[in-house]
Amino acid sequence: MTGFDFHLQDLNLWDLTVSGYDDELDGDLNLPDGDLVDVESSIQDLTADYAELRRARPTRIRGDHGWREIEWDNGAVHRYEWTPYTMDMRCDECSSPDADLYVVHDELWASSGLDGWVCFRCLEKAIGRRLVPSDFKSLPGNTDVVHHGPELRERLGLS
Ligand SMILES: [Zn+2]
């Protein structure tokens, strides 16, 4: 996941599937953004890469909402399909929609016995104490985010 500037209950993403390639590219590409422009630019990048790598030229491009098929002069047919999906950003433990992103040190996380996407309050409950600034990794997601609620900012030593 990229982009740390969200404070969302649900995150809209596009699931882009590619088939027809002759290498390990076939499969799902998860785009961490709700923007269709990213689907378009991914397809353009992949197509340009393929054209350069295989010295091939597209001979026919067909498409509609949610799919595109590109036929090449070497006989390959690439098919792209994209569908929107939603990532549930609520806390796995308490279902709070207020599950701000944060990253703590691996040892602390391991000692909590928790798994998945858990809000900092549930983490504090699991470890039996309040989080302090030294518990957090030094990452932009922890420090450069203005969307963190006041409680988490306090634990991060930001307020
Ligand atoms: Zn929780």
Side-chain angles (χ1 to χ4, degrees):
M1 194 178 300
T2 61
F4 291 103
D5 58 338
F6 52 78
H7 176 181
L8 297 171
Q9 179 170 342
D10 298 313
L11 195 61
N12 292 314
L13 301 155
W14 290 89
D15 186 38
L16 175 63
T17 308
V18 183
S19 63
Y21 277 83
D22 48 6
D23 50 29
E24 60 275 13
L25 187 64
D26 279 0
D28 290 346
L29 297 173
N30 291 324
L31 305 171
D33 204 328
D35 199 338
L36 266 179
V37 171
D38 287 339
V39 169
E40 199 57 51
S41 65
S42 294
I43 293 174
Q44 276 173 22
D45 288 350
L46 290 167
T47 300
D49 285 352
Y50 182 85
E52 196 179 307
L53 206 67
R54 299 278 181 257
R55 302 193 181 284
R57 296 161 64 103
T59 54
R60 191 172 175 216
I61 299 175
R62 297 185 302 145
D64 205 338
H65 296 299
W67 67 276
R68 185 162 313 148
E69 229 169 57
I70 301 172
E71 295 177 22
W72 296 83
D73 58 2
N74 63 6
V77 180
H78 297 166
R79 185 175 174 91
Y80 298 88
E81 291 177 40
W82 56 96
T83 48
Y85 73 97
T86 302
M87 194 178 195
D88 193 342
M89 298 294 285
R90 288 173 299 185
C91 171
D92 289 345
E93 294 286 314
C94 69
S95 296
S96 165
D98 194 21
D100 283 329
L101 181 71
Y102 62 90
V103 186
V104 293
H105 288 290
D106 299 335
E107 312 84 65
L108 178 67
W109 182 250
S111 76
S112 74
L114 292 167
D115 199 15
W117 180 258
V118 180
C119 73
F120 75 91
R121 293 181 200 86
C122 288
L123 176 59
E124 291 187 337
K125 222 177 288 172
I127 61 174
R129 65 170 176 82
R130 274 174 71 117
L131 291 165
V132 295
S134 61
D135 290 329
F136 297 90
K137 284 190 180 177
S138 171
L139 290 173
N142 281 332
T143 55
D144 298 351
V145 173
V146 292
H147 299 276
H148 281 145
E151 287 175 85
L152 185 53
R153 286 181 64 82
E154 193 193 326
R155 275 120 174 122
L156 284 159
L158 296 174
S159 49

